[in-house]
Amino acid sequence: MSGHQYDEGHTIAGWTGCAVATAGSALAGAGLCGWRPGIWWGVGVMAAAVLVTWGLHLAGWGKPPGPRPADQWRLRDRDRAAREGHPGCLGCRLAGRRVPARGGAVRESAVPASRTGAPADVSS
């Protein structure tokens, strides 16, 4: 049994987007049952669900693609790295947050010396 199965979509962005989309589906369903404006209201609310979810994801209330460490599985855990963008995330790329793909080489100068463990002034 894989350990990341409990990490799929359990975020504020995920639950809020689901609730708004459910309301939109209910309005569209009412439209199919006879209340004609409901179809268009429902479609509009479902489109708003996409935008709400995307906005919350960019604000740090979503999660990056793939599993997170188990200590970040709580619903109230905010993703502090969202401002820079997530590697391989379509939503972040659409927002203009460009991050190199996973496994890509990171230039030595892009990593602060305090994070690499190397002295701050290295001369060759």
Side-chain angles (χ1 to χ4, degrees):
M1 180 174 356
S2 62
H4 67 82
Q5 67 187 5
Y6 302 107
D7 187 38
E8 296 301 321
H10 296 290
T11 63
I12 298 292
W15 284 106
T16 303
C18 182
V20 174
T22 300
S25 296
L27 285 171
L32 289 174
C33 292
W35 182 54
R36 292 294 173 207
I39 293 174
W40 299 111
W41 279 95
V43 169
V45 170
M46 286 188 276
V50 171
L51 296 175
V52 166
T53 305
W54 185 35
L56 287 170
H57 170 79
L58 294 176
W61 292 110
K63 74 176 204 70
R68 295 176 293 183
D71 63 335
Q72 297 176 5
W73 284 1
R74 293 179 348 139
L75 184 66
R76 288 180 259 149
D77 287 341
R78 191 166 184 181
D79 183 13
R80 302 288 180 205
R83 193 167 286 284
E84 290 83 33
H86 300 115
C89 178
L90 175 63
C92 290
R93 282 196 316 259
L94 288 173
R97 297 177 180 178
R98 307 272 184 220
V99 176
R102 286 188 181 142
V106 176
R107 294 187 329 241
E108 186 72 28
S109 62
V111 179
S114 61
R115 296 183 78 200
T116 62
D121 184 27
V122 178
S123 302
S124 355

